[in-house]
Amino acid sequence: MTRTQDHESTTFTEGTKSVAIRGGRIEVVGQDTRLQVGIERLTIGRARSCALVLEDKTVSTVHAEVQATPKGVRLVDLSSRNGTFIGNLAVTDMHLTAPCDFRCGAQRLRFVPETPQQIVLDPDHRFGDLIGTTPEMLHLFATLRRLAPSSVSIVIRGETGTGKERVAKAIHDASPRRSKPFLAINCAAMAEQLLESELFGHVRGAFTGAETDRKGLFVEAHGGTLFFDEVAEMSLAMQVKLLRALDNREVRPVGSDQPRKVDVRSLFASHTDLSRALNQGRFREDLYFRFVKTTVELPPLRDRLDDLGLLIQDILKDLGHPDAPVDDASLEMLRTREWPGNVRELRNLVEVALVGWTDGPLVFGPAVPAGRLKEPVDGGAGSYEAAKQDFERRYYTALYAACRGSLKKMAKASGRQRPTVRAAVRAYGLVAEDDEDATGGREGSESQ
């Protein structure tokens, strides 16, 4: 049996999948310079390390990125100063399928499509803890399988909640370094001096509070993998030290003049656009090109809705309920969500749906049938309070699902004051999306 999805040029045959990659070439108008665009990401800009170097002052250091995909050649403006345009249309992220001219700043370029190339994808829908069946995910898995055995640095891109650290761990587990440590650090979570000590270690007396020697993560991860989250939040001074450590494969503890050799594979992620940070002078060009050439990108959940059922079953298994059935109507309802929190948001919904669930199909939505929830405590002293608490838990759990976690909507729907609702959802382990935590940020917001 064979069926073809025209919108993605994807063919499914006898349990295998192949995808037509639509590439082309980019020519500099008025010059002989051209760039062949394939499945690897290529940058256009003034930097000498770009795949297509443009000698034009209106072009940013890294201006745009191109890549062949099933939908055409993807053209992405990299937060450039003077923009990327097709005619008068400003381009942020689009696919080129037909011949056209476009501009990077004032520099005119021409896109010429070429015959699509059919690529056979490995039908294995798992890579480590990652799971997916869409062409985008299978292509990602194929890329990760190719890169994992090497020691190259990789940048992992993706929206909040797509699971960038999970990808980093899967890469480590599929590499020859799997028996050695996998360590992660959030570069935005600590001050510069503390970050330097955390990475490179320190000797006793190096600074106030340094009462003992510390190895540092580079030494602790020797032979293994070190994952840098929020790498764009490093100061320029720390970026210099990181680059030196990566290039020389040695670290110098704070307060010491004795370097120590280390063998560590580095993986990076950031919620901040690294190209924007580079163009704004907040990120070093040499460090950018040190690892950004090898970049993988996680598709958002809204672009892989065919994986919803598979992901839910995987989450249920992880939560200890592998046999819990899912209500079909609820599954269809989930396909209409926008999923700003991606897979993390889906996991939160599954966890909420499991609150008090005992049997029957698992429901994601406003109606949580009472018969599928734990019964109140029967008889005995204090049974009224137990019943009241059980009712409130079921009520607020259902309200939370109906209002998709919005504190404002929950307060309006229940007719109760927002502080009252806030206290209740917190008491039952729920997190309202417009509720603020102690640091002033939104509860549940994470960089991953």
Side-chain angles (χ1 to χ4, degrees), residues 400-414:
Y400 180 94
C403 297
R404 300 184 178 182
S406 170
L407 184 67
K408 180 179 179 180
K409 292 180 180 179
M410 293 171 72
K412 182 177 180 180
S414 64

Side-chain angles (χ1 to χ4, degrees), residues 46-47 56 63 144 237 282 310 411:
R46 283 193 297 112
D56 190 307
H63 197 104
L144 295 178
R282 295 185 291 108
L310 191 65

Side-chain angles (χ1 to χ4, degrees), residues 407-439:
L407 184 67
K408 180 179 179 180
K409 292 180 180 179
M410 293 171 72
K412 182 177 180 180
S414 64
R416 311 198 78 185
Q417 294 296 317
R418 191 177 299 193
T420 302
V421 176
R422 179 186 293 114
V425 297
R426 285 180 171 179
Y428 297 114
L430 307 174
V431 179
E433 66 177 24
D434 48 356
D435 200 5
E436 295 186 349
D437 62 22
T439 62

Side-chain angles (χ1 to χ4, degrees), residues 48-246:
R48 291 297 173 185
S49 298
C50 289
L52 179 58
V53 180
L54 301 178
E55 301 285 356
D56 190 307
K57 293 182 179 180
T58 66
V59 175
S60 294
T61 305
V62 286
H63 197 104
E65 181 182 80
V66 289
Q67 180 187 24
T69 76
K71 298 178 182 179
V73 168
R74 186 184 181 194
L75 173 63
V76 181
D77 181 80
L78 298 178
S79 302
S80 64
R81 290 180 291 107
N82 295 312
T84 302
F85 296 88
I86 295 180
N88 293 323
L89 174 66
V91 173
T92 53
D93 187 341
M94 70 179 302
H95 292 84
L96 306 179
T97 58
C100 67
D101 286 1
F102 66 96
R103 289 184 292 109
C104 288
Q107 179 67 64
R108 290 181 59 209
L109 303 169
R110 179 167 295 136
F111 169 68
V112 181
E114 295 181 347
T115 304
Q117 294 184 338
Q118 203 76 16
I119 296 179
V120 177
L121 301 174
D122 189 330
D124 187 355
H125 62 268
R126 278 193 175 274
F127 180 77
D129 289 338
L130 309 175
I131 191 168
T133 60
T134 62
E136 291 84 0
M137 291 302 293
L138 294 180
H139 185 247
L140 171 65
F141 294 164
T143 301
L144 295 178
R145 291 188 187 99
R146 175 172 58 85
L147 295 175
S150 71
S151 289
V152 299
S153 298
I154 301 173
V155 174
I156 304 168
R157 298 200 312 202
E159 295 180 4
T160 294
T162 50
K164 295 184 281 295
E165 185 168 345
R166 287 170 65 93
V167 173
K169 183 63 165 60
I171 293 172
H172 170 78
D173 290 342
S175 77
R177 299 172 179 266
R178 65 179 68 88
S179 62
K180 298 296 183 178
F182 171 84
L183 301 178
I185 182 170
N186 188 322
C187 301
M190 55 190 69
E192 181 175 332
Q193 185 183 44
L194 183 58
L195 178 60
E196 182 178 4
S197 171
E198 190 76 9
L199 288 174
F200 308 134
H202 63 254
V203 297
R204 180 181 178 182
F207 51 83
T208 302
E211 299 178 355
T212 60
D213 291 352
R214 177 181 174 84
K215 291 181 179 180
L217 293 181
F218 266 99
V219 173
E220 292 176 9
H222 182 73
T225 304
L226 188 52
F227 174 61
F228 297 81
D229 191 17
E230 304 294 8
V231 66
E233 302 305 314
M234 278 189 178
S235 69
L236 290 173
M238 271 302 300
Q239 291 173 32
V240 172
K241 295 173 183 177
L242 174 61
L243 180 61
R244 185 182 302 122
L246 296 177

Side-chain angles (χ1 to χ4, degrees), residues 333-334 337 349 352-353 363-368 394-411 413-414 430 433:
M333 179 274 295
L334 294 181
R337 293 176 69 99
L349 281 179
V352 169
V363 175
F364 306 89
V368 182
R394 290 187 285 118
Y395 176 81
Y396 281 109
T397 298
L399 184 66
Y400 180 94
C403 297
R404 300 184 178 182
S406 170
L407 184 67
K408 180 179 179 180
K409 292 180 180 179
M410 293 171 72
S414 64
L430 307 174
E433 66 177 24

